[in-house]
Amino acid sequence: MDISNLDRLQVLNEQVMHELLGDDESEINNFRQQFLQQAKSSLQKIASFYREQQFKQIKDEAHYLKTSAKAIGAERCAYYLQQLEDASLALDKAQCKNHIQSLSNEIKGVFRACSTQK
Amino acid sequence: MTRKEVEHVERHPKVVLLCDDVEELGGVTDVISSQITAFRTLSNYDSMQEVLLEAAPLVIIIAMSSVSRSVELYSKLAKQGVLDYPHENILLCENKESGIGFRCCMKSIFRDYFIYKPMYENYRLRMILHNALFRSKEANDVTSIREEHFGRIDDELKQLIDDAAQYHKTAEQTLKDARENLDQTEGLNEVQTALIQELKRQHITPLLDKLESQLSDSVAELTNRLKNKQISVAELSALLTERSIPNTSHQASQIKEARVVTSVKQPSYETNFDDPIDSSAKPETTLAESRPKNSKIMVVEDNEIYREMISKILRDEGHNVESVSSGLTAIKMLRKHKYDLIFMDLFMPELDGYNTTKNIRNIPNCKSIPIIALTSNKNKDLIRKWASLGLAAYIAKPSTKQSILKAVEKCNMHS
């Protein structure tokens, strides 16, 4: 999955999980729900680290969430998590803020996409 | 429960005698109990496991009806992970099996052996026991000192990292306050105010920017150094732990594993089997040819969702999968159990994939275990560095079921 070009990325690419887990829809839904919970918790942590200006922690948490975002096919989320990793590595507070806001919107998008597919 | 077990029921024994016929060993148990009171005789497998786990006795004496049964029992206990602590083991055997007993010790399965049948030399047994207790106690003392020492260093390093972060935060706040104060400062008249603004623009703001940047770089550098030190300490501790644990338990596990793959039916320790020394000498190709398709696989990944996905894919194919969330846990488990293959993430908290692999390669039965790297990292240098430790395959996250299973197949074929 190339997450460098935002225009070509999907909010939720269903093919990713089908290629990983096959056609077991209940299993797929289960993992999606787990991701939404994980994303909510991670986003809160990232926001808290941002307030404390703990860039290293922001980077680590973004990297952590990026793994599951990619695994469930949340490509746009993965994109902003990568951007957030880069911005936190560069200690760029303003960019971090932008990417956290974008990430928050993308997670909401994944939530909506998951709800419509139930 | 037999008569002798009642006589030697010590809650935290330092010496245990594991046997299948207590009555046969009446004389031996009398000699041992005259040497040390913290002694217990065990003939029931569940009790053996329980006592070994709870008491971690310094010396384990094994006296089953034949040497092969003693080796089988010891390797079964080793495989279950109850022997993973510094200890000494002594084999008791009949005179007719003295040659096998000797070869077992030469292969480091047992530290020493003693002939107890048809006759035994009282003081010789007491001497062997005395030496074993002495060595084992010394190894245990070293282990506890090391654990305490490294634990303290680790705590201190953690505290220093926290202190550095706190110092950074405080210093940044001070600089922020200085900027705010400066913004609010006004002169007595317009000329003075303009002069202050000019001073601020030309000298003070660039100075504060420079200070802030230097501070940030210095703290990051310091934190990095402390974290590297933390990893080195964890590595050194893992290495020393590895060396302090007698090889005997690993050796026994390996013999047991070899038997499992060469037999159609997995033997239990209650059943007889051939001389383990002879069976271990069988050509390696026999083992490889009979390797089962279903492998025992460890998945090391800190993200529980992806970890569970990989595990599910492998389990669905019939593999026996155990998953862990950190490199340190993986190292601990690999010391206790044997695996056919490892899937490992690169970036993990505490110990990353590279340093975990370095530690794993120091574990005696893991020097050539296939490791499949799981990473989305594009840093080619880092992956090349990792690959130099011996990677069997590389999987770019999230990958596909097909690629994952292909990588497993490739590893099985090359094993």
Side-chain angles (χ1 to χ4, degrees), chain A residues 16-39:
Chain A
V16 174
M17 280 192 91
H18 283 291
E19 282 181 350
L20 257 175
L21 299 170
D23 297 327
D24 187 344
E25 287 300 331
S26 75
E27 198 69 60
I28 287 174
N29 275 333
N30 183 20
F31 278 118
R32 281 178 184 154
Q33 292 310 312
Q34 280 187 51
F35 170 74
L36 289 171
Q37 284 175 9
Q38 192 184 64

Side-chain angles (χ1 to χ4, degrees), chain B residues 3-5 7-8 15-42 59-64 90-95 113-130:
Chain B
R3 184 177 60 84
K4 287 289 169 186
E5 271 187 288
E7 281 179 17
H8 301 292
V15 177
V16 287
L17 172 64
L18 313 181
C19 61
D20 46 8
D21 188 354
V22 182
E23 295 300 323
E24 280 282 311
L25 295 151
V28 170
T29 53
D30 287 344
V31 172
I32 299 170
S33 55
S34 68
Q35 178 92 354
I36 181 161
T37 51
F39 162 60
R40 187 159 172 188
T41 309
L42 299 158
V59 179
I60 300 166
I61 303 170
I62 305 187
M64 300 297 281
I90 300 165
L91 170 73
L92 258 57
C93 61
E94 292 185 39
N95 192 38
Y113 75 101
F114 178 75
I115 306 296
Y116 78 102
K117 223 171 166 182
M119 291 170 70
Y120 61 89
E121 193 192 333
N122 180 347
Y123 289 107
R124 175 78 191 121
L125 176 59
R126 293 175 73 145
M127 195 69 241
I128 289 175
L129 187 59
H130 170 81

